[in-house]
Amino acid sequence: MSEVGAAAPRRPIISARGLRKSFGALEVLKGIDFDVLPSQVSVVIGPSGSGKSTLLRCCNGLETADAGSLEICGRTLVDHGRRLPEPELNALRTRVGMVFQSFNLFPHLTVLGNVTIGPRKLRDLSAADAETAARRLLDKVGLASKADAYPSTLSGGQKQRVAIARALAMEPQVMLFDEPTSALDPELVGEVLLVMKNLAREGMTMMVVTHEMGFAREVGDVVSVMDHGVVLESGPPAQIFDAPLHARTREFLQAVVTRAGPKPQATQPATAPLAIDDH
Amino acid sequence: MDFDFAPVFHGWRALAHGALVTVEVSVGAIALGCLVGLVIGLGRLDPRRRVVYALCSAYLTVVRGTPLLVQLFIWFFGLPVIGIQLPAFFCGIVGIGMYSGAYVSEIVRGAIQSIDRGQMEAARSLGMPYRMAMRSIVIPQAVIRMIPPLGNEFIAVIKNSSLVSLVTIADVMHEGQKIISVSYRSLEVYLAIAVVYFALTNLTGFALRFAERRLAVGGLVQ
C-alpha cells in the first residue's frame, strides 16, 4: 500500500472500471464500476441473473471480462479484455480467497488435506507447518475435531466452514464469497454466517454475494444492489435497506422480505452463541 | 460320445507356457494401452487446442474404426513390404496395445469430464496451475471412475490377445492348435483353452474390484 497522507483515500483492494462481460449474445455485466477498500465488507445483493456472481468470479479470473479494467491487490487482472498472463494470474489467486456456493471441497482428501494442500503446494510450507496452521484455522471455524474426516461425512454447514478454512490457509488479502449459504439447509446457515462475521470483525477484506439480507445489513460496510448487469446503487446498509433511491431496489427488497419474512429473521442465528461446535 | 482329455494332459507344459505368453502379451498390451489412452484422452479434453485435438481424434477414429486382426496383420505382414520387419512378439504387444489405447482414451476422457467443474475451479482459485490441479485434484478422483470400464477393457485385451496366435506368437491359443493338429481332439483342447482365458479374465476382474474397494476406503468414492 502506498504511504500517502493520512487524509488520502486508501487504495482499493478490488477496483473495477467499466467492466463488461457477455456470454454469447447475453451481456451479463454492462459496464460495472466497483470498489472494495481494505478491511471493508462489501456485500452485493440483487435478483438471480443480475450478474453479481459473474462480477465476483471476474475478481479471481475464473471469468475474464471482455472490456473495462479490473485491479486486484494492486495488480491489473484485466485491462480491455486482456487478462494477466497465466503464471502471474496463479500468483495473484494465492492472495484472493474464494468460497463457492457448492463448497467444492476435494472429496478424495481429508478435511486436513483440503486445508493443507494449498499451502503445501503453493506456499512451500513444510507438511508440519501447514498442518499446524490448518489445525489452528479448523479450530477457528469450530471443526478441530473433524480434521481427519472426509468431506462426504460432513454436513453442508461444516463443509462450507472447511471451505472457508481452506481459503484462509493461503493467507489471502481478500476473500470472495459466492452465495456461501444458498446451498445450505436453513438451520445450517447461521454457523457459516457466524464464521464470516468473525472474519469481518478481524478486519478481513471481504466481497460477499448473498441473499442473506440480515447479514448484509448487520455486517456489510457497503451494500451494492445489482440488476440486469448494472450496479443500481451502492451505499451503507442503512441507506440501501431503509431509504433506497431506486424503485427497482425497493421492488427487490420488497420481494425478498415478503419471501423471507421480516428482516431480523435471517440475522438471528448469526448473532446467537459465539462459540460454534460440531454437532 | 467319448471325451479324451489325454492330449490336454500330455501337452500341459506347452499349454502352460502358452498361457504365460498370453499373460505377457496381455500385460504388455494393457500397460501400453493405458499409456496411449492417457495421452490421447488428455489430448481430447479441450477442442480449443485444435491441432492436438484433431490429431488425437484422428488416432481414435482410425484405430477404433478398423479391425484388430487387420491392424495386427499390417504390423506383422504389411510393414515388411516397405522394409520394416518387426519381431512377432513386438507386433503383438504394440498392435493390441495401440488398439486398446483408443478405447482407454475414451474411458480416460469420460472419467475426467465427469468430475464436477467446481473441483477444477476450486483448485485454480487456490492458485494452482492447470497441470497441478489436474494432477492432484481432478485425476485422482477420475481414476476411481475409470476402474469399472477399464476392467471391461482389460478383459477384452486378454481375450483379443488370442489373435496374436495368427502372427506366429506361441500363446495358449497357438499351443492348443498345435496339439489339435496332431490329436484331432479339438473340443477338449478348446475347452481347456477357454478355461485358461476364463481364469485370467476373472482374476483381472477380481483384482480390479479389490483395487476399487481399497481406494474407496481411502475416501475416493463418495
Side-chain angles (χ1 to χ4, degrees):
Chain A
M1 222 65 5
S2 55
E3 293 299 326
V4 209
R10 288 170 300 169
R11 193 171 167 190
I13 292 221
I14 296 177
S15 179
R17 289 291 171 271
L19 214 60
R20 290 178 177 278
K21 172 74 184 172
S22 300
F23 292 113
L26 183 70
E27 191 170 36
V28 183
L29 300 179
K30 301 173 181 165
I32 302 280
D33 295 332
F34 189 82
D35 285 310
V36 180
L37 298 175
S39 296
Q40 203 175 49
V41 177
S42 176
V43 181
V44 184
I45 60 174
S48 305
S50 58
K52 51 195 195 305
S53 280
T54 305
L55 175 62
L56 187 96
R57 288 164 60 84
C58 281
C59 292
N60 73 348
L62 285 179
E63 308 288 354
T64 304
D66 305 322
S69 68
L70 182 57
E71 212 175 273
I72 312 282
C73 303
R75 296 303 308 266
T76 304
L77 177 56
V78 186
D79 195 14
H80 295 95
R82 285 193 49 190
R83 202 181 65 176
L84 204 61
E86 195 75 12
E88 290 165 56
L89 175 62
N90 289 332
L92 180 57
R93 277 172 172 155
T94 64
R95 292 187 274 154
V96 180
M98 175 98 179
V99 174
F100 299 87
Q101 178 178 350
S102 48
F103 329 126
N104 295 344
L105 291 182
F106 306 133
H108 61 304
L109 301 176
T110 60
V111 165
L112 194 65
N114 269 275
V115 183
T116 54
I117 191 165
R120 278 199 299 114
K121 295 210 178 261
L122 300 163
R123 292 177 55 217
D124 293 323
L125 250 59
S126 72
D129 289 348
E131 185 177 330
T132 311
R135 288 195 187 275
R136 207 179 52 238
L137 285 169
L138 287 174
D139 192 41
K140 186 168 156 176
V141 300
L143 289 171
S145 64
K146 295 287 185 186
D148 299 318
Y150 281 95
S152 58
T153 64
L154 303 182
S155 73
Q158 291 171 331
K159 283 181 190 169
Q160 196 60 298
R161 286 187 278 152
V162 173
I164 292 172
R166 175 177 68 180
L168 289 175
M170 296 301 290
E171 299 189 353
Q173 284 176 259
V174 53
M175 288 280 285
L176 309 175
F177 292 86
D178 188 6
E179 301 199 26
T181 58
S182 297
L184 297 176
D185 291 337
E187 77 272 21
L188 303 177
V189 168
E191 62 192 64
V192 172
L193 292 182
L194 179 57
V195 166
M196 292 170 62
K197 215 167 101 180
N198 288 338
L199 209 54
R201 207 174 284 155
E202 288 167 18
M204 175 59 79
T205 310
M206 295 162 62
M207 175 174 172
V208 185
V209 168
T210 188
H211 291 292
E212 292 294 332
M213 297 305 147
F215 178 86
R217 182 188 275 270
E218 192 192 3
V219 184
D221 295 310
V222 178
V223 176
S224 305
V225 186
M226 282 188 69
D227 190 28
H228 290 103
V230 297
V231 177
L232 284 181
E233 58 185 305
S234 195
Q239 178 197 317
I240 299 293
F241 288 108
D242 300 333
L245 299 171
H246 236 276
R248 296 267 276 284
T249 306
R250 280 195 292 275
E251 281 163 30
F252 170 67
L253 291 174
Q254 198 90 56
V256 173
V257 170
T258 326
R259 182 165 52 81
K263 123 214 141 184
Q265 193 100 50
T267 336
Q268 246 159 23
T271 43
L274 219 91
I276 28 173
D277 249 309
D278 327 326
H279 312 277
Chain B
M1 224 169 32
D2 66 322
F3 283 108
D4 181 8
F5 281 97
V8 172
F9 294 126
H10 279 133
W12 78 269
R13 270 174 197 284
L15 284 173
H17 187 266
L20 192 67
V21 171
T22 291
V23 170
E24 286 168 3
V25 170
S26 301
V27 170
I30 285 170
L32 180 65
C34 285
L35 197 73
V36 170
L38 188 66
V39 171
I40 302 294
L42 291 175
R44 276 172 44 82
L45 281 180
D46 186 0
R48 284 170 305 179
R49 276 155 52 208
R50 291 232 184 99
V51 178
V52 173
Y53 184 83
L55 286 174
C56 293
S57 300
Y59 180 93
L60 175 68
T61 49
V62 169
V63 173
R64 194 177 54 181
T66 51
L68 174 56
L69 188 58
V70 172
Q71 288 179 35
L72 280 173
F73 280 5
I74 287 174
W75 281 101
F76 189 70
F77 299 115
L79 291 184
V81 174
I82 54 167
I84 304 170
Q85 197 129 26
L86 300 164
F89 194 69
F90 180 89
C91 289
I93 287 183
V94 171
I96 299 180
M98 291 187 67
Y99 178 80
S100 175
Y103 289 88
V104 172
S105 77
E106 284 293 84
I107 293 172
V108 168
R109 185 177 67 90
I112 288 175
Q113 289 180 339
S114 77
I115 301 299
D116 186 77
R117 223 175 59 135
Q119 291 292 310
M120 180 54 100
E121 288 190 345
R124 299 306 305 276
S125 76
L126 287 174
M128 287 191 193
Y130 176 83
R131 277 164 187 272
M132 188 195 285
M134 217 40 167
R135 218 173 30 235
S136 46
I137 303 300
V138 177
I139 291 181
Q141 296 180 54
V143 163
I144 190 92
R145 297 193 186 174
M146 294 178 200
I147 290 179
L150 276 182
N152 282 337
E153 179 54 27
F154 293 171
I155 285 168
V157 166
I158 292 170
K159 292 186 294 182
N160 284 340
S161 78
S162 59
L163 292 174
V164 301
S165 62
L166 299 170
V167 294
T168 74
I169 297 177
D171 71 336
V172 69
M173 186 72 182
H174 194 101
E175 294 295 350
Q177 278 171 327
K178 278 199 283 191
I179 295 171
I180 292 168
S181 67
V182 292
S183 67
Y184 301 103
R185 308 307 307 192
S186 39
L187 180 59
E188 293 87 338
V189 175
Y190 282 134
L191 281 173
I193 291 171
V195 168
V196 170
Y197 282 110
F198 180 83
L200 291 178
T201 52
N202 279 280
L203 207 64
T204 306
F206 180 78
L208 282 160
R209 271 198 303 281
F210 179 73
E212 202 178 346
R213 267 205 306 275
R214 280 295 295 271
L215 289 169
V217 174
L220 271 165
V221 186
Q222 293 310 291

